[in-house]
Amino acid sequence: MELAGGPQARTSERLVYLRDFYAFIEREMPLIVQRFEAERRQTRSKEARSDG
């Protein structure tokens, strides 16, 4: 943060925000992918039954 002007600098605030945002995304992404895959399986299963 020193390179960005110290911890109180506006640039540092943005870097901290982005760090926190990406940490959140990293934690949440596996759950999002699981939900997507489950929803997709369910949708494709329904489509297959209606095509039958």
Side-chain angles (χ1 to χ4, degrees):
M1 293 302 143
E2 289 301 316
L3 292 175
Q8 301 304 317
R10 182 82 176 124
T11 303
S12 291
E13 290 176 24
R14 290 191 298 257
L15 288 173
V16 169
Y17 177 88
L18 286 174
R19 179 202 62 197
D20 294 346
F21 175 74
Y22 283 114
F24 172 81
I25 294 297
E26 185 175 13
R27 285 191 315 272
E28 295 296 318
M29 189 55 70
L31 297 172
I32 292 170
V33 171
Q34 286 176 0
R35 286 176 41 209
F36 169 75
E37 289 174 345
E39 184 177 304
R40 189 165 189 269
R41 279 192 302 273
Q42 187 177 33
T43 301
R44 292 182 62 83
S45 176
K46 286 179 185 177
E47 289 172 354
R49 279 186 263 142
S50 69
D51 289 344

